Amino acid sequence: MAAEGITLLLGEIHELAERNGKITLRGTPLDVILRYFVAGELLDDPTGQQVLDTLIRADREGRTALFLPLDSGVYASKGSLALLHDPAVRAELTEAERATVDRAVPWTRLLDEGRQYAGDRAGLLARCRAEREELVLKPGVGYGGVGTVIGHETDDAAWAEALERAAGGDAVVQRRVRPAPEPVVDAATGRTEEWAANWGVFVDGEGYAGGFVRALRPGDGAVISFSNPGTRSSCVFTAD
């Protein structure tokens, strides 16, 4: 970063202050704040709301930019994926849009008992119970596979209990994805083996903007995340 003329400082929320409308870190004025905290962490901090108000005000006034604002977190909820398969929403999509959703987003539904989905809640739960081996239950907000229930790794009774328990929250049920095996070099042995890979690809207005990949031996579980100790990760390098 220094080679690009950028001074990079690392800090914590409680080290931030404000001077003349500009955010400072240990006394140094900041032009941009790259946010690594989430809303829940602010709620756990006694001064969190006050700090957030200060950051938002500085961003709005153009004195210190906040990247990304907290409203970007709405896209972190898996409930947004469930909206794409909500019957009421699908009815408003064009045929081409529905085809795109079906191609790119596994069937996903929100289990919140406050939503009726055009009166099909009972049918939704019945379908989930009947198709247990092809479904996965996930918290709507979260990461690392924490709280995930894999249908084909549970029995009918445990699955039904998990569905009922999730009905009062923000959980989603999603079609199981069967990844195609990919060759991965095991760093410990040097051998090339067939692993399951989870690709993270970033795009911007100009197209491809980078990526990373996580991979896991098929025998090490169904969730490819860092909560699983068998998961390995790497950057993605491309060449013209």
Side-chain angles (χ1 to χ4, degrees), residues 16 22 66-67 79 81 85 88 93 97 103 131-132 140 149 155 185 222 229 234:
L16 297 176
K22 197 171 186 69
L66 177 61
F67 186 87
L81 299 179
H85 289 280
L93 301 179
E97 288 170 336
R103 177 179 59 82
E131 300 180 10
R132 169 181 60 80
V149 180
D155 57 27
V185 178
S234 173

Side-chain angles (χ1 to χ4, degrees), residues 126-213:
R127 177 178 178 178
C128 290
R129 287 191 291 267
E131 300 180 10
R132 169 181 60 80
E133 293 194 358
E134 296 301 323
L135 298 175
V136 178
L137 184 64
K138 305 176 180 180
V141 176
Y143 58 91
V146 177
T148 297
V149 180
I150 307 298
H152 68 270
E153 294 182 351
T154 65
D155 57 27
D156 288 338
W159 178 249
E161 181 182 348
L163 289 174
E164 290 298 327
R165 188 168 58 247
D170 68 337
V172 300
V173 63
Q174 191 171 66
R175 175 71 58 194
R176 173 186 178 187
V177 174
R178 299 175 183 268
E182 301 193 40
V184 173
V185 178
D186 188 324
T189 66
R191 293 195 301 266
T192 300
E193 302 171 343
E194 295 292 309
W195 290 30
N198 185 342
W199 291 84
V201 179
F202 301 94
V203 295
D204 59 20
E206 297 182 1
Y208 177 74
F212 70 98
V213 63

Side-chain angles (χ1 to χ4, degrees), residues 36 44 67 87 146 233:
Y36 278 92
D44 294 336
F67 186 87
V146 177
S233 181

